[in-house]
Amino acid sequence: MIDMRLLATPVYYIETILFVVISCLIFVSVLFFVLTFYKKVNRIREIKRKKEYQFKIDELLFNLLFNGKTGDEIIKHPDFIDCKENKLFQQLTIKSLIGLHHNYSGIYSSKLEQFFSASGLADYSLNKLNSDNWSHIVEGIKDLSSLNYLKAYPRIVSYKNHHNKFVQTEVLLGMIKLKGISELLKFKNSNVYFNDWVQSNILYVVKKHRIPAPENLVELLKSKNESINILAIRLMNYYGLAEYNSELSGLLETSGNSTIIKEISLHLNKTEHLQ
């Protein structure tokens, strides 16, 4: 006679397994819902906090620039004192300072630079340079150079041989922002290759920050590094420097580099047309 308990055992196991699987699925679904809800709530809180901080920042900087308030008065303002240690507030303030600095010049840009230094925000950006994350280092260099924090120049230059190419490029751009295009002369005898991406970034910085042409730009044409020659020609073309046409014509006759020949021809056609 067949023992019915033996037939029931597999069914019991199957039911148990199904119960466990369904319970796990329900638990995972509930957990996913809770995490999603929690993440959404946090995002809403952060957006609200950003708006609150931005409102305070806009008001503080408006008073600094247009209502005759000094940097010391803004630093001692309750809104600034209450929030100055908050990283999000620091990030948003620096971003606002950089945005205003790009749009204003003269006494206004000087006020923004002085406030960046005196408020302790420069220290926040300097600390980014100590990071092991290359993107943080890049952010720090951008902050410091965009707000003309000259004290950071030695620290920025110390990263010029960093293993990350993006950091190296940002160091070069920072050097130019802080001390002008003449900084390129330090690379005159260098084997560093300035590819088109790096050169386009340099030209963008020159245009955006309205960096004036140096008197010794022609020295870069004497470099044996052809990428530096190309950059010098492009800069001359941007500034419309016709006074270097004789040197460029001489290089045109001796160079076998197709890019150099093309860039010189473009420059000569542009400047001769203007003359």
Side-chain angles (χ1 to χ4, degrees):
M1 192 169 195
I2 300 174
D3 189 347
M4 296 303 294
R5 289 177 299 175
L6 294 176
L7 294 174
T9 300
V11 174
Y12 173 76
Y13 284 151
I14 292 172
E15 289 178 348
T16 302
I17 291 171
L18 284 173
F19 175 77
V20 172
V21 170
I22 292 171
S23 298
C24 289
L25 288 173
I26 293 172
F27 174 76
V28 170
S29 299
V30 171
L31 180 63
F32 177 76
F33 173 79
V34 171
L35 291 175
T36 302
F37 179 76
Y38 178 76
K39 187 176 180 181
K40 187 174 182 179
V41 169
N42 276 346
R43 188 183 299 116
I44 293 172
R45 286 178 180 172
E46 185 177 1
I47 291 172
K48 183 180 178 182
R49 191 162 62 248
K50 276 185 177 180
K51 288 182 178 179
E52 291 173 352
Y53 283 159
Q54 194 63 58
F55 179 80
K56 292 179 180 180
I57 292 166
D58 291 343
E59 189 173 15
L60 289 169
L61 296 182
F62 183 86
N63 286 332
L64 174 68
L65 293 179
F66 307 114
N67 282 345
K69 298 293 184 180
T70 65
D72 288 339
E73 288 176 311
I74 300 300
I75 291 170
K76 294 175 183 177
H77 193 284
D79 284 344
F80 187 80
I81 292 173
D82 292 343
C83 304
K84 67 178 182 179
E85 299 300 326
N86 183 279
K87 287 188 176 181
L88 178 60
F89 181 82
Q90 292 171 330
Q91 291 170 357
L92 292 173
T93 305
I94 292 172
K95 183 177 180 181
S96 294
L97 286 171
I98 292 173
L100 289 169
H101 194 270
H102 287 336
N103 293 322
Y104 293 95
S105 58
I107 189 173
Y108 298 109
S109 61
S110 296
K111 283 184 176 182
L112 295 169
E113 293 167 9
Q114 290 167 8
F115 178 74
F116 177 65
S117 176
S119 64
L121 291 170
D123 294 329
Y124 172 75
S125 296
L126 281 168
N127 286 333
K128 291 182 184 179
L129 302 185
N130 298 324
S131 175
D132 293 328
N133 187 325
W134 67 264
S135 65
H136 291 167
I137 297 174
V138 167
E139 287 175 7
I141 295 173
K142 280 184 178 179
D143 293 348
L144 296 161
S145 58
S146 295
L147 290 166
N148 200 32
Y149 191 70
L150 285 169
K151 291 180 181 178
Y153 178 83
R155 286 285 307 281
I156 291 174
V157 174
S158 70
Y159 286 89
K160 68 178 181 179
N161 294 321
H162 194 274
H163 64 274
N164 185 280
K165 295 294 184 183
F166 291 103
V167 174
Q168 291 180 16
T169 300
E170 201 59 46
V171 168
L172 175 60
L173 298 177
M175 292 168 65
I176 293 172
K177 289 178 191 176
L178 290 172
K179 294 201 173 182
I181 299 175
S182 57
E183 288 292 289
L184 290 172
L185 289 170
K186 294 179 179 178
F187 297 86
K188 178 182 174 182
N189 299 319
S190 168
N191 292 322
V192 175
Y193 179 70
F194 290 80
N195 59 36
D196 286 338
W197 182 79
V198 172
Q199 294 199 26
S200 64
N201 274 276
I202 291 173
L203 289 165
Y204 174 77
V205 164
V206 168
K207 294 174 184 178
K208 189 168 186 178
H209 293 266
R210 298 183 290 275
I211 298 174
E215 296 179 358
N216 48 4
L217 187 57
V218 69
E219 291 296 316
L220 294 179
L221 294 180
K222 300 175 184 178
S223 174
K224 294 181 180 180
N225 186 331
E226 291 187 330
S227 68
I228 292 178
N229 298 153
I230 293 169
L231 176 57
I233 299 164
R234 286 172 174 169
L235 286 168
M236 290 174 182
N237 188 32
Y238 166 70
Y239 289 116
L241 301 176
E243 59 264 38
Y244 299 134
N245 282 7
S246 59
E247 287 87 351
L248 289 171
S249 297
L251 182 59
L252 181 64
E253 295 176 0
T254 59
S255 178
N257 186 301
S258 59
T259 304
I260 289 177
I261 293 171
K262 176 185 174 183
E263 293 295 336
I264 291 177
S265 298
L266 287 172
H267 174 74
L268 293 177
N269 289 334
K270 174 183 176 180
T271 52
E272 287 173 359
H273 174 70
L274 291 175
Q275 289 177 334

